[in-house]
Amino acid sequence: EGPRGMLIGFRKTKQQYYITIPIEEGEQFRYGSFEVEGAGTFDPEVIRRGYPVQIGAVVNYTALKEANEDIKKLYSTRGFLDMDAIPVMTPNMDDKTLDVTITIVEGKQYIVDKIEFMGNTRTRDKVLRREMFIEEQQPFNGTLLEHSITRLNQLGFFERIEEEDYEVVKKPDEGSADVVVTVTERSMQ
């Protein structure tokens, strides 16, 4: 039995259980080789440097996953919204090494078709558009979109625009994307 709490309503339950989960770590692998394939827009060496891989170091799956996200952001600066980095891992059981090959699938390059604002009743579109770094009929750039949202937030006219408040609607058949930003105007009193 466990102890009871001192405050009414914040009591611990009378019975407590301890659960033990055995964890078996298995073998520790180190990087044997690291290659990048399929990169056409960027030099494969530039992409390779984006991964924190040192031959002989212990394999770190979390760092590989984070580097994949960074490479996706890099490709989004050139309009490649469907880019995918697929890691192919080949273990060598004899010397406990892992050969990693990142296959880049660039996909289609998108241009910005329309930029739409929703929820702005007092603020005119042109006020919002002048804060946008991305432009219609230009290649999409994810970094410039993030900077644009930051600038819109700095205006002070709206509640904070979060990631769920803007959307990139892809039209793969046309190779274009619409950017829809939903804002909530603040009271000016």
Side-chain angles (χ1 to χ4, degrees):
E1 289 188 5
R4 292 186 174 267
M6 297 294 284
L7 298 173
I8 298 173
F10 290 101
R11 295 183 177 193
K12 290 186 175 183
T13 58
K14 206 170 189 185
Q15 295 187 359
Q16 295 178 340
Y17 300 96
Y18 294 96
I19 299 173
T20 304
I21 301 173
I23 297 175
E24 192 173 314
E25 290 182 356
E27 302 289 334
Q28 188 178 60
F29 282 78
R30 298 185 177 276
Y31 291 110
S33 68
F34 184 78
E35 302 295 327
V36 174
E37 296 177 349
T41 302
F42 294 99
D43 182 22
E45 188 57 33
V46 170
I47 295 173
R48 191 179 190 297
R49 280 183 271 163
Y51 286 89
V53 173
Q54 293 180 350
I55 304 304
V58 176
V59 175
N60 184 343
Y61 292 108
T62 305
L64 284 175
K65 186 176 178 180
E66 289 172 359
N68 272 354
E69 294 303 316
D70 292 342
I71 296 301
K72 284 183 181 184
K73 284 184 181 179
L74 176 67
Y75 268 88
S76 79
T77 63
R78 299 275 177 94
F80 292 95
L81 298 177
D82 296 331
M83 177 272 177
D84 203 6
I86 304 166
V88 178
M89 301 182 188
T90 309
N92 185 343
M93 299 307 280
D94 296 335
D95 57 359
K96 303 292 185 233
T97 60
L98 185 71
D99 297 333
V100 179
T101 303
I102 302 293
T103 304
I104 303 293
V105 180
E106 291 183 346
K108 188 179 283 190
Q109 188 175 22
Y110 287 82
I111 62 165
V112 178
D113 186 28
K114 289 188 281 186
I115 300 173
E116 296 182 47
F117 298 99
M118 301 178 76
N120 55 321
T121 53
R122 290 188 310 269
T123 308
R124 295 185 181 209
D125 270 14
K126 69 178 183 178
V127 174
L128 300 173
R129 286 182 188 279
R130 71 178 175 217
E131 301 300 324
M132 299 295 285
F133 288 113
I134 59 173
E135 298 176 5
E136 294 175 346
Q137 304 309 314
Q138 296 296 318
F140 180 84
N141 187 324
T143 304
L144 291 181
L145 177 60
E146 289 176 10
H147 290 310
S148 300
I149 297 301
T150 301
R151 284 186 56 155
L152 287 173
N153 281 329
Q154 290 172 345
L155 283 175
F157 298 159
F158 313 103
E159 298 297 325
R160 181 158 179 76
I161 302 170
E162 300 292 341
E163 194 169 331
E164 62 268 6
D165 296 330
Y166 62 92
E167 179 182 17
V168 178
V169 181
K170 297 185 282 187
K171 298 186 246 179
D173 297 340
E174 302 170 19
S176 63
D178 294 340
V179 178
V180 181
V181 181
T182 304
V183 296
T184 305
E185 291 185 327
R186 285 186 177 162
S187 166
M188 293 297 174
Q189 297 176 4

